[in-house]
Every structure is written in C-alpha cells, then in structure tokens.
Amino acid sequence: MEVTSMSQALQLHAQFLKSQTQNHQNLSNLFTFAALSPSGNLNYARLILNSNPSLNSYYYNTIIRAYSHSSNPTHHLQALSLFLFMLQSPTNHHNVPLPDNFTYPFVLKCCARLKLVPQGKQIHGLITKMGFGSDLYIRNALVHMYSEVGELGVAREVFDRMFYRDVVSWTSMIDGFVNHDLPVEAIELFERMLVSGVEVNDAAAISVLRGCADSGALSVGRKVHGILKEKGIYLKGNVCTALIDMYSKCGCLESARKVFDDVVDRDVFVWTAMISALACHGMCKEAIDMFVEMEICNVVPDERTVTVVLSACRNAGLVREGYMFFNDVQKRYGMKPTIQHFGCMVDLLARGGCLKEAEDFINAMPMKPDAVLWRTLIWACKVHADTERAERLMKHLELQGMGKHDSGSYILASNVYASVGKWCDKAEMRELMNKKGLVKPPGSSRIEVDGVVHEFVMGDYNHPEAEKIFVELDQMVDKLRKQGYNPKVSEVMLEMGDEEKAIQLLHHSEKLALAYGLIRTCPGSKIRIVKNLRSCEDCHEFMKLISKVYQRDIIVRDRIRFHHFKNGDCSCKDYW
C-alpha cells in the first residue's frame, strides 16, 4: 500500500506492530517515507532506526542522506554522529553496518555545509584507506566539499586526478570557481568541458552562466544560450532566470527581455530576475510597472522581489514609492521586512539627503542594524558634507564593536577624515587596519574582447599590451582637456600633490579597460566594462566625455548598478 501522509504512516505502523505482520518490505516503505518525503517526519525515521540498530546499511544511508539534504545545521551534525557510530560499531560489538560507497558522499556534503575542513580531510583519508578512492560519486563529492570550504587547490587536484569525469564533476569544479570569485577560471574550465565531449545539462549551464554574469563574458554566455536552445532546455524556469541575469549583468538588457518574453509560464524567480535587470540598468519606472504587472498575473512576490523593487526606488530617488512598497511588505504580503529591505530604504533616504530621517529610520528598526547599514548612512554623510554626523556615527560604530573584523568600516572612516583634511585621523585608521591584518579589496575592471576576458587593476603594467594602453590613455586625456576635462583630484584620499593625484586617477582600472577597449574594438561598437567597486566621480565624468568625443556607447557595471554613457550623458542622470 502506498503511503501518502505521515498520519497514514503512523496508523499503518501501529497496525503492523499490533498484528505482528511487520516485515522488511513494509518497514522499509514506512522508513523511506518518514525520512525522505516532504510530508514525512525525520525524527520518526530516526526512532525506527534507534529501536533496531542492526538494520542494514540502506537505513543508515537513507537517514544520513535525509540529514544532508536538510537546511538545519543540527541535522548535519547528527549525520556525522551517525557516521561515527557506524565506524565504531565493530569495536563496540554492535551489529551495525560499516559505511559503504553510498554513505560517504552524503557525509562529505554535511562537512561542506558545516565548513568542517579538518574533518573533511580526515574522511578523505579514510575513503582512500577503505578503497573507495576511485568511486566516481565519492570523488565528485570530494570536489564539491573542497570547493565549498574554499580549498580550491585541493579540489582541483582531486578533479585533475580523476580518470573519468561526468557532468557533475565538471559542474562542481566550475561552481567552486564561481563561488570564490574566479569566474574567468570557471569559463576556461567550461570550455575544456565542451572540448572533452561531456554533455551540458541545465545545472552546468547555470553554473557557467553565473561565471559569465560575474565577469561580463557576453560571447561565452551567448554560446551557452545557443547550446541550451539546441538541447531544447533553454525555456526551463531556472535556466531562463540564469539567462536573464547573465544578459543583464553583461549589459545586454535587450537580450534579457527577449528571454523573458519567450517564457510562457513565468514563476516568481523569472519575474524577479527581469525586474532586477530593469532596476539595475536605471529603468526604474519600467521595473515598478513590471512589478505591478506581476501582481496582476497573480504571482506572489518573495523577499527578493521586494528587495529589487525597493532597489528600483532607491536607484531613482523615489522616496514616496519606496515607503509605499516597504509598508506593503507586511500589509499585503504578510512577510516581515528583512535587513535587506531596511538597507534599501536607508540608502534611498540617505542618498536623497534625508540624513536625519535615515538615522531615525535605523534607530526605529525592530532588529539590530548591522555595520553595513551604518556605513551606508556614513557614506551619504560624506557625500552631503555632513562631517559632524559622520564622525558621531563612526564613534557609535566603534562603540558597538561593529566592523572590527572587516576592512569596509576602516576604509570609510579614513575616507571621511581625508575628505576634510584630517590626515592624522586617516593615518590612525590605516594603522588599525594594518594591525588587524585587514586588507582593502583591490579595485579591478574586466572587459571582454574577442571572447577573452581581460582584467585590470589600478596602474596595471602586467597586461601584454600595457605600453599601448598607457599611450592611448595619454592621447585620451589630451582630447578630453580640450573639452574642459579637469581631474577631480579631491577623489584621491592621499596626502600628495595635485599632479600626483591626477596620475593616480588616470590609472584607475576602468580607465585602463576603456583604453584597451578603444584600441581593440571597432569604431562605433559598444564597450562593456564590469567593475567590482563603486565608480569614483572622476571616472564617471571621464566616461561621459569619452562617449561624446569618441562617439562610443559605453556601458559600465559597478558594484551597485549600470551606467549607460552616450553622447556625454549618463543614464543615472548623475544621481549616482
């Protein structure tokens, strides 16, 4: 008899026990339902196992598998505890099966979830000792585990030593690179996977599309899209969401919209991806209109959807609309606002110059604000020259112990002090950073040319064509000076002369990427640049003038949003 609910399972189990008709088959069915069904009860499955520890390996592996699929860290620990019990059973004279090749992948998954690096390595040694080292599923689990815990070198070593690799092997390694901000390496590995003849499935495609989105590798993303079309899986919801995200983040909003329009049965993730694409490209009214359209189609927004529509309001400075959507979170959708929702509202208010209102908003939050929220407000204080408020809030941050272990708070504080010429205070912040071993993340910019992603950092002389790039930069500046360009040296928070500051500004990573793009792309073609940090005011002005002088459309994605430069104007209307 097929079990469909837990109450039915309990009744059947009681009936089997009462009538003494319990056998291996019906117990196995009940146990499997309790452990693996969404309607089951994992605690009840464990009670069945505890009442008869001499059950075969299927029961142990099934419940460890169930624990590994759970989002509850306690279940992951229980899986590891059960695994240790299996290992110790011979010494304790229990008739408990030893772990087999089906046990280890799920145990390794739990180590990955809990970030248990030493324990994962010990289990790896045990796998080799027990003779399971060549098992494909176990080796795939090892690659996944090492990738998840940040041991990419070991993951790659395990991957490279595999005699046979299936699509899961490749996907796990590609995922590892993408998750640790190595999208170029992920794309290179995907290209190798294609050459090896391994069939691309939707999971592999989604992984590499994430890499394309992060790096701005539009041509590779288009190639993946073509492969998906050939296989007939490009209209699956999760694949379409990844495609929309990729095209959007590569600066190709038209293609993102085309994918969206082709989807017949749109779920909340597809809608959210498209609303987010419109919002980050500065088409904020269109993003809000699409949110309304989604509601008309009876698709219920989730927390992420609310975040992106609030981001649209933030990007356009729509304070009234932002409050309306924020209040709707509870009234209409029955969800509690998250820290991300509060963050959007604080940024919206602060960026618009409503600094006191933003501070009051933070203080009235029902949860404890994090360092990011305070830093958002402090940055706005710097922009709006409210140094007194900025210093007071920085002291509050320090007293609360927020940001002690990340560089962001110290960098922001040093920039605030530098903006008002307090160089000793700035130096003190930098000294504190050094003592704590905190490092400022380097600014970098990526540009794809002829299918290859080129990455630049500030003053980058390592590129093969560095000499040509710096010659081009000098020529660009000469042309811009005739148009009235004057470097905004106030953007350089260092104690040095204006001439040195101008050189520093000229060597910013996005300017190097732009110069390379002008050298290597056809006149009139679009230039797309992806930057990992927020663009400075000087670079923003520089891009505007270049778009006019060189008659080029330039699309720059910074940490927050897109800037479309055309004929001397930017899509953000200089709001950002």
Side-chain angles (χ1 to χ4, degrees):
M1 179 181 176
E2 185 180 355
V3 181
T4 57
S5 69
M6 198 59 212
S7 60
Q8 186 184 22
L10 292 170
Q11 290 172 8
L12 279 172
H13 198 189
Q15 185 180 331
F16 293 147
L17 292 172
K18 188 176 181 180
S19 61
Q20 296 185 341
T21 57
Q22 178 170 288
N23 56 40
H24 171 72
Q25 185 60 51
N26 58 44
L27 181 63
S28 174
N29 291 341
L30 287 168
F31 179 82
T32 303
F33 178 84
L36 300 180
S37 171
S39 305
N41 186 316
L42 193 48
N43 291 332
Y44 193 76
R46 185 61 187 266
L47 284 173
I48 293 174
L49 185 64
N50 290 346
S51 65
N52 190 356
S54 61
L55 289 169
N56 63 33
S57 61
Y58 170 80
Y59 290 85
Y60 283 85
N61 290 340
T62 298
I63 201 161
I64 289 174
R65 173 188 171 190
Y67 282 144
S68 75
H69 290 334
S70 170
S71 59
N72 186 345
T74 303
H75 286 160
H76 306 147
L77 289 170
Q78 287 176 315
L80 294 174
S81 177
L82 198 55
F83 170 71
L84 290 174
F85 178 66
M86 294 173 75
L87 285 176
Q88 295 165 0
S89 61
T91 58
N92 293 335
H93 307 292
H94 290 302
N95 189 22
V96 174
L98 282 168
D100 57 23
N101 59 319
F102 295 105
T103 317
Y104 286 101
F106 302 124
V107 173
L108 289 168
K109 185 176 181 180
C110 291
C111 288
R113 291 281 189 91
L114 295 169
K115 309 295 183 188
L116 299 177
V117 181
Q119 292 84 347
K121 289 183 175 180
Q122 288 176 346
I123 293 170
H124 187 180
L126 186 61
I127 286 166
T128 305
K129 181 180 177 181
M130 300 301 288
F132 295 122
S134 61
D135 184 279
L136 174 64
Y137 298 103
I138 290 176
R139 293 193 79 80
N140 283 347
L142 283 167
V143 172
H144 170 76
M145 186 268 293
Y146 282 123
S147 296
E148 281 288 301
V149 300
E151 295 276 345
L152 287 180
V154 185
R156 187 60 189 263
E157 188 178 340
V158 173
F159 177 84
D160 287 340
R161 288 183 176 181
M162 294 175 73
F163 296 109
Y164 171 76
R165 304 181 190 101
D166 64 4
V167 69
V168 176
S169 319
W170 291 92
T171 303
S172 295
M173 197 66 243
I174 291 167
D175 252 344
F177 283 135
V178 175
N179 291 338
H180 290 87
D181 196 28
L182 294 168
V184 176
E185 289 82 349
I187 291 166
E188 288 172 354
L189 196 63
F190 177 76
E191 298 279 12
R192 274 188 56 199
M193 173 181 148
L194 293 180
V195 171
S196 72
V198 173
E199 285 282 316
V200 177
N201 63 9
D202 53 346
I206 289 169
S207 292
V208 76
L209 285 171
R210 286 172 56 225
C212 294
D214 289 349
S215 62
L218 180 59
S219 63
V220 180
R222 289 195 189 282
K223 181 196 288 189
V224 176
H225 192 180
I227 293 169
L228 293 170
K229 277 187 175 180
E230 287 175 13
K231 297 178 120 357
I233 57 175
Y234 78 105
L235 288 179
K236 290 179 68 174
N238 57 347
V239 174
C240 287
T241 301
L243 282 168
I244 292 167
D245 186 59
M246 181 276 295
Y247 279 125
S248 166
K249 288 180 178 175
C250 288
C252 199
L253 193 59
E254 303 86 356
S255 296
R257 186 59 196 251
K258 178 69 168 63
V259 173
F260 177 81
D261 290 341
D262 285 343
V263 183
V264 178
D265 188 16
R266 301 175 188 136
D267 60 17
V268 66
F269 304 107
V270 173
W271 281 98
T272 302
M274 194 63 232
I275 295 168
S276 178
L278 292 167
C280 70
H281 279 270
M283 300 182 69
C284 302
K285 183 182 182 303
E286 292 85 346
I288 292 169
D289 288 345
M290 181 166 281
F291 179 78
V292 173
E293 183 186 347
M294 183 190 81
E295 290 186 300
I296 292 169
C297 293
N298 296 318
V299 177
V300 179
D302 61 12
E303 290 178 356
R304 168 70 180 154
T305 322
V306 176
T307 300
V308 298
V309 79
L310 286 174
S311 297
C313 297
R314 176 197 65 186
N315 290 352
L318 304 173
V319 175
R320 185 177 62 82
E321 291 84 349
Y323 269 119
M324 181 185 72
F325 287 118
F326 182 83
N327 292 330
D328 278 350
V329 169
Q330 283 179 301
K331 289 179 182 176
R332 294 182 58 190
Y333 312 127
M335 65 176 82
K336 289 184 178 179
T338 67
I339 194 78
Q340 287 77 21
H341 300 153
F342 281 101
C344 287
M345 287 300 299
V346 170
D347 204 5
L348 169 59
L349 293 168
R351 189 166 295 281
C354 307
L355 302 178
K356 183 181 185 306
E357 191 175 347
E359 185 177 354
D360 291 343
F361 190 87
I362 293 175
N363 288 325
M365 283 171 55
M367 79 264 295
K368 184 179 179 180
D370 60 13
V372 176
L373 275 175
W374 288 115
R375 286 207 301 260
T376 299
L377 180 52
I378 293 168
W379 178 263
C381 291
K382 174 184 174 292
V383 172
H384 292 283
D386 190 344
T387 309
E388 184 182 338
R389 189 186 303 272
E391 290 195 64
R392 175 169 56 78
L393 293 176
M394 286 191 298
K395 287 175 183 174
H396 172 75
L397 253 182
E398 188 178 346
L399 287 172
Q400 295 294 316
M402 296 180 187
K404 282 187 175 181
H405 305 293
D406 72 273
S407 61
S409 298
Y410 293 97
I411 293 165
L412 176 56
S414 65
N415 285 343
V416 170
Y417 288 131
S419 68
V420 292
K422 293 187 175 182
W423 299 109
C424 291
D425 291 327
K426 172 189 162 66
E428 186 182 335
M429 288 296 108
R430 293 291 178 168
E431 182 66 25
L432 280 171
M433 276 183 67
N434 292 334
K435 283 181 179 178
K436 293 175 180 292
L438 300 174
V439 181
K440 178 184 177 181
S444 66
S445 297
R446 295 173 176 136
I447 182 171
E448 184 192 49
V449 176
D450 296 332
V452 178
V453 176
H454 299 260
E455 185 168 11
F456 296 88
V457 294
M458 182 175 171
D460 198 340
Y461 290 92
N462 294 322
H463 193 276
E465 297 183 64
E467 189 174 337
K468 290 181 182 177
I469 291 167
F470 284 100
V471 169
E472 180 71 18
L473 266 179
D474 289 338
Q475 293 174 355
M476 290 158 65
V477 172
D478 287 342
K479 290 182 180 180
L480 294 195
R481 286 192 187 280
K482 293 173 184 176
Q483 298 291 320
Y485 169 66
N486 192 26
K488 296 183 183 299
V489 293
S490 61
E491 287 290 300
V492 180
M493 303 300 176
L494 296 171
E495 198 171 4
M496 57 173 62
D498 285 354
E499 191 174 332
E500 291 175 282
K501 288 183 177 182
I503 293 171
Q504 285 263 332
L505 288 171
L506 184 59
H507 292 176
H508 278 190
S509 63
E510 57 263 60
K511 291 189 178 94
L512 299 177
L514 175 61
Y516 186 66
L518 290 172
I519 293 169
R520 291 292 308 274
T521 60
C522 300
S525 61
K526 288 182 181 179
I527 294 176
R528 293 180 171 88
I529 297 169
V530 174
K531 183 174 170 59
N532 68 332
L533 302 176
R534 190 194 300 256
S535 287
C536 74
E537 192 177 339
D538 182 77
C539 285
H540 191 268
E541 188 65 24
F542 195 90
M543 296 288 172
K544 283 167 60 178
L545 288 170
I546 288 289
S547 71
K548 179 182 178 181
V549 172
Y550 285 76
Q551 284 299 292
R552 290 287 199 108
D553 287 5
I554 304 166
I555 302 171
V556 178
R557 184 184 100 206
D558 69 13
R559 187 172 59 84
I560 303 293
R561 59 167 293 163
F562 275 89
H563 300 264
H564 292 251
F565 300 96
K566 187 173 183 177
N567 294 326
D569 292 317
C570 178
S571 58
C572 79
K573 310 295 183 189
D574 296 341
Y575 185 66
W576 287 76

